[in-house]
Amino acid sequence: MQQPGRVATGWMATALAAFLMLCLPARAAAEDGYELWLRYLPLPAERASAVGAHTKHLLIDAGTPTRAAARAELRRGLEGLLGRAPADATAVDAAGTLLIGTPASSPVIRNLGLDLRDLGNEGYLIRSLRVNGHAATVIAANADLGLLYGAFDLLRRVQTGARLDALDLREAPRVKVRVLNHWDNLDGHVERGYAGASIWDWWKLPDHRDARYIDYARANASLGINGTVLNNVNANATILTPRYLAKVAALADVLRPYGLRVYLSARFSAPMEIGGLKTADPLDAGVRAWWRDKASEIYALIPDFGGLLVKANSEGQPGPQDYDRTHADGANMLADALAPHGGIVMWRAFVYSQHNPDDRAKQAYTEFKPLDGRFRDNVLVQVKNGPIDFQPREPFSPLFGAMPGTPLMMEFQITKEYLGFATHLAYLGTMYEEVLQADTHVKGPGSTVAKVVAGELHGHALSGMAGVANIGRDRNWSGSVFDQANWFAFGRLAWDPALGAREIADQWARMTFSDDDAVAGPVVGMMMGSREAVVDYMTPLGLHHLMGRGHHYGPMPWDAGGPRADWTPVYYHRADRDGIGFDRSRRGSGAVSQYAPPVAEVYDDLARVPDEYLLWFHHVPWTHPMRSGRTLWEELVRHYARGIDAVSQMRRTWMRLEGRIDAQRHAQTADFLAIQLNEAQWWRDASIAYWQSLNGLPVPAGFPPPAQSLEYYQSLSFPDAPGN
Ligand code: GCV
């Protein structure tokens, strides 16, 4: 039985609690990073009212899923930023209308007679105009997707402090195919993934479509990413069976309104594994028919299916060379199957073999250069940014510029397989920029990698950029807040490879943390130096591939032996008592000759090669005199120290931001920076201890000896390292 006194106490306690809650100071809501850069937090009052004056009304015909998505995003964004969503309008009959449409969807836009000719199907313009005598902000495009991209652009501008009174901009992507590559296996494991399991819940698909897929699509659309390869390039043929294609079709349905086309990685031997054929020979009539039928089956389910990505004859994957056919034979067979449906093939040039005694850095070029011009029009050859494998720093791949008759697609890695996983802070925008701005010189100065990739240098209609995704089921998507910036930077650069890394970092920091300069400034400062710090403490001066075998976590420069020399650090550093570095000069492996002469001459010449590529291209004595006047050994030790100092500095900067950034994201990042600092020290100590065991040199004056013995570092093992 209820006691009257207890009821009163309960009521009073609730009222008291409510009163106390009201008395508490306002606190930033706990944030776990799920919202990414689309947080839409309230603007300061003065800015909110300035923006609000231009966004009182919204006129858009939301009669298609993509236009509905644009409307929903604008309402959501403006409601968050301004405290109120714009009112729906049916005409421009008051000042402050946001008018959005294509000439086909909006008579008002049509009557404005705007010049949309150079915008294609994805571009848009945003202009402040007078419409019917009223001040209006217009987002116009030829197609719905341009409107969605324009809506995200407008919101980004509002989030980063732009005024909306005199807008006049035109945007269109410079690269056609802008895709994420998920290295996600069908069992949920993500190869080189550091953000938890795959976001694709294959078991529950197609009947359950996780709401997260929509947020994934929103995030990608906000950057202009227009495609996603759902499964690992180390592909399982099962993805092409009817059971899985139904699941893929369900995902395609969810992602379609956001302009994300779905692609799949295909296993070259699928006709044998799931088709019951005796061969996968690309010139075999039965095999060709099998792929044609498979393409028809896919397009019947997914009419806008993007196409296939293939890793062939590399790291144990099957491919056309199993039948003495070329990579062009393999790619063209698939291209012929997809062409009637408008699909493309992305054929990877990441090809090297342990049976080839030549320098691994040369092998992709050797294999693909002779095939230039022999691929069908709907084939993109996908080339990793460097000649080896996503190292903290590599020179650009010599293939860029070496195949004028073939559109080459850039493959960047967003996930940080070789840069400390998700617990090291390394903003990759600077690395992407460095590669894209590198000058191949193949058509004279200014022949940048960016122009090759955009198809501009050699006049290709098809162009592409792929980023190996760092996305998983972690609440913050990427394993750490700062790793979200690498997804962001990839997307922005895929849209426009000429954008600057600093400008992108600034946008991201303002959208992700705060538009306050006192926050954004220090955050951008941390980001801009972060990748160089990793290079310094892991692989300075052109060293590469010194990470632990298999998992690629931590230093293991001593690692040797096993079935694949080309997977061991000793293959790459070639250090001994007298010197260190891989001689790729004309006197060595000759890899320099794969570059255009003006580049090759610089890389080949010990006096001119930039310090950051010294040990990539040259084997030099430990006493080699550097430009600084120090010996190589002294310089190496200094670089390690510089890397550690940079991490300490990032950490100090971050700790000063405590209280200005929500507690949850601040605390996680602080923990990760502490991990990074420890591991930077570990990289330095283990590397120096090992180099000393070879060169017998003392640690230069002013620098401490390694904290532990070499044997200690060599005894460490990490069977549980993720992503492997
Ligand atoms: C998907 C490196 C990685 C592999 C990856 C491969 C590739 O070797 O370590 O995990 O495999 O590159 O890009 O195909």
Side-chain angles (χ1 to χ4, degrees):
M1 199 173 127
Q2 202 171 40
Q3 296 172 22
R6 294 271 319 231
V7 174
T9 313
W11 178 86
M12 282 188 317
T14 310
L16 184 66
F19 175 74
L20 286 175
M21 290 276 289
L22 288 173
C23 296
L24 286 176
R27 262 188 357 174
E31 295 205 45
D32 56 16
Y34 183 84
E35 302 295 337
L36 295 161
W37 46 87
L38 302 174
R39 289 163 67 246
Y40 305 134
L41 289 193
L43 294 178
E46 189 259 332
R47 263 178 55 200
S49 100
V51 172
H54 295 280
T55 55
K56 287 191 213 145
H57 314 283
L58 176 61
L59 175 52
I60 179 172
D61 171 348
T64 64
T66 301
R67 291 205 300 273
R71 175 177 177 273
E73 197 67 33
L74 282 165
R75 288 183 61 82
R76 171 193 197 130
L78 292 171
E79 180 159 21
L81 290 157
L82 312 179
R84 56 148 188 81
D88 283 321
T90 50
V92 184
D93 51 14
T97 302
L98 199 47
L99 166 62
I100 299 179
T102 61
S105 73
S106 161
V108 191
I109 293 281
R110 193 161 57 242
N111 290 339
L112 288 176
L114 299 164
D115 180 5
L116 307 176
R117 274 174 303 185
D118 56 342
L119 297 179
N121 280 335
E122 296 180 302
Y124 54 89
L125 61 75
I126 306 183
R127 283 177 67 181
S128 308
L129 287 175
R130 289 199 83 75
V131 180
N132 299 339
H134 303 289
T137 305
V138 174
I139 304 180
N142 291 312
D144 288 353
L145 188 54
L147 300 178
L148 180 63
Y149 289 160
F152 275 113
D153 184 324
L154 189 84
L155 289 168
R156 183 168 64 234
R157 282 168 205 271
V158 174
Q159 285 172 283
T160 55
R163 305 191 65 83
L164 301 187
D165 13 42
L167 293 170
D168 184 7
L169 58 105
R170 309 173 76 81
E171 279 281 335
R174 278 177 65 190
V175 175
K176 198 162 175 202
V177 177
R178 310 178 296 279
V179 289
L180 291 181
N181 287 184
H182 286 267
W183 286 357
D184 294 19
N185 295 332
L186 301 188
D187 64 1
H189 176 77
V190 181
E191 185 159 344
R192 311 308 174 185
Y194 312 105
S198 169
I199 56 169
W200 315 128
D201 194 337
W202 295 113
W203 181 249
K204 298 199 188 95
L205 283 164
D207 300 322
H208 175 66
R209 301 166 182 203
D210 196 313
R212 190 169 183 143
Y213 304 148
I214 293 181
D215 290 327
Y216 167 87
R218 287 176 51 235
N220 283 309
S222 77
L223 305 171
I225 290 173
N226 66 1
T228 177
V229 186
L230 300 176
N231 61 319
N232 193 352
V233 289
N234 289 330
N236 183 334
T238 309
I239 194 85
L240 296 174
T241 58
R243 176 174 150 77
Y244 272 84
L245 288 178
K247 298 169 190 279
V248 173
L251 280 174
D253 288 345
V254 178
L255 305 180
R256 185 170 297 112
Y258 299 88
L260 275 180
R261 295 176 91 178
V262 157
Y263 298 74
L264 292 176
S265 293
R267 187 162 163 88
F268 198 78
S269 51
M272 299 163 74
E273 287 160 23
I274 59 168
L277 302 191
K278 294 262 175 311
T279 176
D281 182 347
L283 300 192
D284 178 272
V287 172
R288 298 177 73 83
W290 188 88
W291 281 110
R292 271 199 308 274
D293 291 348
K294 186 52 74 180
S296 301
E297 180 188 344
I298 295 173
Y299 279 93
L301 292 167
I302 311 166
D304 58 351
F305 180 70
L308 298 171
L309 169 64
V310 184
K311 171 176 177 177
N313 294 117
S314 172
E315 300 186 333
Q317 294 300 309
Q321 292 180 327
D322 302 347
Y323 308 95
D324 289 329
R325 312 298 186 197
T326 69
H327 282 278
D329 293 331
N332 291 342
M333 170 194 60
L334 295 176
D336 290 343
L338 294 168
H341 311 279
I344 64 164
V345 173
M346 297 170 288
W347 191 270
R348 295 178 91 222
F350 178 68
V351 169
Y352 66 106
S353 159
Q354 73 270 35
H355 306 301
N356 183 346
D358 203 4
D359 175 2
R360 173 177 166 187
K362 290 171 64 183
Q363 294 184 28
Y365 178 103
T366 309
E367 193 74 53
F368 278 83
K369 167 102 179 124
L371 300 177
D372 186 26
R374 290 179 47 196
F375 293 92
R376 299 279 192 268
D377 286 349
N378 59 335
V379 176
L380 279 161
V381 171
Q382 181 168 314
V383 182
K384 287 190 182 183
N385 60 274
I388 295 206
D389 190 14
F390 300 137
Q391 294 303 295
R393 171 168 279 127
E394 297 192 32
F396 68 90
S397 166
L399 272 173
F400 293 111
M403 296 182 65
T406 310
L408 298 184
M409 180 171 184
M410 172 62 76
E411 179 175 328
F412 281 130
Q413 195 176 44
I414 308 173
T415 189
K416 302 207 311 299
E417 172 182 356
Y418 293 101
L419 288 97
F421 301 177
T423 40
H424 289 212
L425 196 163
Y427 169 54
L428 301 181
T430 48
M431 182 171 96
Y432 302 156
E433 180 182 48
E434 178 177 294
V435 176
L436 290 167
Q437 292 313 317
D439 196 342
T440 69
H441 281 270
V442 287
K443 281 178 108 181
S447 306
T448 59
V449 171
K451 287 186 192 160
V452 175
V453 170
E456 293 160 9
L457 196 70
H458 302 297
H460 294 296
L462 191 56
S463 59
M465 206 189 287
V468 180
N470 63 353
I471 296 163
R473 228 176 273 184
D474 279 7
R475 276 294 293 173
N476 67 15
W477 300 88
S478 301
S480 80
V481 179
F482 276 89
D483 276 299
Q484 298 173 354
N486 295 329
W487 177 6
F488 185 91
F490 166 76
R492 300 286 290 127
L493 285 164
W495 179 271
D496 182 357
L499 288 178
R502 180 177 288 280
E503 175 192 348
I504 295 172
D506 188 69
Q507 283 174 352
W508 177 80
R510 289 178 190 279
M511 296 167 84
T512 302
F513 293 120
S514 166
D515 192 24
D516 182 348
D517 289 347
V519 174
V523 167
V524 172
M526 290 168 64
M527 292 168 77
M528 290 305 287
S530 59
R531 178 268 192 149
E532 200 62 42
V534 174
V535 173
D536 276 344
Y537 63 73
M538 284 189 183
T539 50
L541 300 173
L543 288 170
H544 48 286
H545 222 306
L546 307 184
M547 296 78 188
R549 185 187 295 219
H551 49 62
H552 299 156
Y553 168 70
M556 215 190 270
W558 47 82
D559 189 36
R564 295 203 59 154
D566 53 359
W567 284 352
T568 61
V570 296
Y571 173 91
Y572 296 99
H573 64 65
R574 312 211 157 191
D576 58 16
R577 192 171 58 92
D578 302 317
I580 182 170
F582 199 127
D583 185 358
R584 297 193 166 106
S585 72
R586 294 199 174 104
R587 297 157 301 283
S589 81
V592 290
S593 304
Q594 295 182 335
Y595 292 93
V599 180
E601 279 157 25
V602 172
Y603 288 165
D604 190 52
D605 183 351
L606 205 42
R608 287 202 287 161
V609 65
D611 280 0
E612 60 261 33
Y613 299 131
L614 175 67
L615 303 177
W616 185 282
F617 288 113
H618 295 273
H619 185 87
V620 293
W622 295 100
T623 52
H624 174 73
M626 302 291 290
R627 290 191 180 89
S628 61
R630 291 183 273 274
T631 66
L632 167 68
W633 173 237
E634 289 164 346
E635 197 65 45
L636 205 53
V637 172
R638 268 178 184 265
H639 273 73
Y640 290 129
R642 198 172 75 171
I644 297 167
D645 289 349
V647 179
S648 299
Q649 182 56 48
M650 283 202 286
R651 200 164 161 238
R652 279 195 296 276
T653 305
W654 187 252
M655 296 325 285
R656 280 199 295 271
L657 290 171
E658 193 169 5
R660 288 179 172 274
I661 285 171
D662 50 280
Q664 193 173 341
R665 291 186 305 166
H666 189 273
Q668 190 197 53
T669 305
D671 284 354
F672 289 177
L673 283 165
I675 292 173
Q676 185 175 10
L677 187 56
N678 275 333
E679 294 185 357
Q681 192 71 48
W682 167 38
W683 263 96
R684 178 253 181 212
D685 286 349
S687 304
I688 290 182
Y690 174 63
W691 304 137
Q692 283 188 298
S693 77
L694 302 175
N695 64 19
L697 293 169
V699 178
F703 295 94
Q708 305 278 351
S709 67
L710 175 60
E711 292 66 37
Y712 167 78
Y713 298 115
Q714 289 176 325
S715 73
L716 303 175
S717 76
F718 305 94
D720 53 345
N724 194 15

